[in-house]
Amino acid sequence: METRILTYFLKIAELSNMSKAAEELHITQPTLSRQIKTLEDSLGVKLFQRGNRSMTLTSAGIIFQKRAQRIVELVNKAEQDISDQTELNGVISIGCIESTVSNFLGSMITSFHNKYPKVRFNLYDADGSDIHEKLDRGTIDLGFLMTPVEVAKYNSIKLPVTDQWCLAVPKDHPIAQQTKIATNDLRSLPLIIPTRKIVQGEIFSWLHIPANELNIISTQNLVSDSLFLIKAQIAFAICIAGAFYDRPDPDLTLVPIDTDTVVNHVMVWRKNYTLSRSAITFIEFIKEQVDDPNSLWQLYSKASK
């Protein structure tokens, strides 16, 4: 089965329309229709329900879509990795959480690009669980995450980047006038907490409050998922400050939680997995920047403290 056919299938699934897909793929509609019919015949199932103006995936089509996406991602990744064996010009795929570490990553990419201008980057803004999944599937090379992380599966470098735990509340709420909020005061509030179990465990640990003694209304992958609940004062989000700094909301404010716990960050990549030369070079570049007390990032970090 050619990946070209999988790309055709995925484009139709994305647009739900054969003629629009044919136009974007720069092939004729009859040709595209024949290719999909051949694919369905070879699989022995119908992938699409055909309507007058739209095509929707069948249950088999939904399953096949997930597998096809993974196959195409891996093939594209393999082609990119091979392309940088002659000179440093491949693509480095990186997943990064929403936090202060994104500023660090941006600084590193800028410096690295100045040195290796032919290297390109694919950046994915996601939560920790999504980044772990992409790392494990091999569709990204590196993950920039907050601690704690599941270190057994990954190589890691501790980064000179910290963040703090805060409570996101509406600006007109009485809590917004406080300079800090005591951990014990969180007992009486409706809360939204991160989805990842390992992060939840970390929060319960420094709160010194069992989960069953908190009024947890919801969990969230990204802070942006819970903005409506916060603004409606249905619940308030425990989150890291950096998740809001890049996307400030005029209706919300962050109140630091009174805890000595500092959020640290790491760069991780899979153990026993062959990375491209460009990805390995980028890792070495990060190591040099982290270890060098006179690097631009280290000097900036000291000045900002």
Side-chain angles (χ1 to χ4, degrees):
M1 186 183 300
E2 299 179 38
T3 55
R4 173 176 55 86
I5 307 302
L6 298 182
T7 302
Y8 291 171
F9 162 77
L10 290 171
K11 181 56 68 174
I12 298 172
E14 175 191 347
L15 300 177
S16 301
N17 185 282
M18 182 76 75
S19 60
K20 290 181 181 178
E23 183 178 348
E24 288 202 14
L25 293 166
H26 305 293
I27 61 175
T28 66
Q29 183 174 334
T31 299
L32 181 57
S33 181
R34 284 196 302 271
Q35 295 281 8
I36 297 304
K37 180 65 167 59
T38 300
L39 176 62
E40 289 179 323
D41 290 344
S42 67
L43 295 172
V45 295
K46 291 289 185 183
L47 299 173
F48 293 100
Q49 293 286 354
R50 290 155 172 83
N52 291 333
R53 295 187 177 180
S54 65
M55 298 178 66
T56 57
L57 290 170
T58 62
S59 56
I62 293 171
I63 294 171
F64 188 72
Q65 181 187 33
K66 294 178 181 178
R67 305 297 188 270
Q69 285 172 334
R70 183 175 179 185
I71 291 169
V72 171
E73 283 179 348
L74 290 173
V75 170
N76 290 340
K77 185 73 173 59
E79 291 174 348
Q80 293 165 0
D81 290 348
I82 291 171
S83 72
D84 79 349
Q85 294 306 301
T86 54
E87 60 178 324
L88 209 63
N89 66 348
V91 178
I92 305 173
S93 299
I94 299 175
C96 185
I97 62 168
E98 293 182 333
S99 83
T100 51
V101 78
S102 61
N103 295 330
F104 172 83
L105 175 58
S107 174
M108 293 300 99
I109 289 176
T110 299
S111 299
F112 190 81
H113 176 72
N114 290 336
K115 191 173 183 179
Y116 302 103
K118 291 188 177 181
V119 175
R120 293 173 292 135
F121 290 85
N122 284 338
L123 301 178
Y124 298 91
D125 188 9
D127 77 324
S129 297
D130 291 337
I131 292 171
H132 280 290
E133 183 180 343
K134 286 183 179 294
L135 281 168
D136 295 343
R137 290 203 325 241
T139 55
I140 63 173
D141 301 304
L142 306 170
F144 284 71
L145 302 164
M146 59 181 277
T147 57
V149 297
E150 298 84 348
V151 295
K153 293 192 295 184
Y154 306 108
N155 299 302
S156 65
I157 298 173
K158 184 178 179 180
L159 303 174
V161 184
T162 59
D163 215 321
Q164 67 178 143
W165 287 105
C166 295
L167 189 71
V169 299
K171 282 189 174 178
D172 59 358
H173 193 278
I175 294 175
Q177 309 308 313
Q178 299 178 204
T179 56
K180 286 186 178 181
I181 183 168
T183 55
N184 204 48
D185 290 344
L186 297 175
R187 290 176 183 269
S188 61
L189 297 174
L191 299 174
I192 304 165
I193 64 172
T195 300
R196 293 182 62 216
K197 296 296 183 183
I198 192 170
V199 176
Q200 290 180 13
E202 178 84 354
I203 291 173
F204 300 146
S205 175
W206 56 254
L207 280 177
H208 303 293
I209 302 174
N212 60 3
E213 294 182 17
L214 292 170
N215 182 17
I216 299 171
I217 302 298
S218 175
T219 62
Q220 64 184 8
N221 282 356
L222 301 173
V223 176
S224 54
D225 297 337
S226 60
L227 293 183
F228 175 79
L229 294 176
I230 302 171
K231 291 178 181 181
Q233 301 193 19
I234 295 172
F236 310 120
I238 295 178
C239 61
I240 53 177
F244 267 101
Y245 286 159
D246 289 337
R247 301 179 188 175
D249 189 299
D251 298 322
L252 301 178
T253 192
L254 297 177
V255 179
I257 297 172
D258 191 8
T259 173
D260 293 331
T261 300
V262 175
V263 178
N264 293 301
H265 294 85
V266 291
M267 177 178 70
V268 302
W269 64 98
R270 281 175 60 187
K271 292 180 178 178
N272 304 314
Y273 182 76
T274 303
L275 291 170
S276 67
R277 190 159 63 97
S278 57
I280 293 170
T281 305
F282 187 65
I283 291 171
E284 293 302 318
F285 179 81
I286 296 287
K287 287 181 180 178
E288 291 173 5
Q289 296 295 306
V290 169
D291 294 337
D292 181 4
N294 295 316
S295 69
L296 289 176
W297 176 259
Q298 292 283 20
L299 292 174
Y300 168 80
S301 298
K302 291 174 185 176
S304 62
K305 288 181 180 178

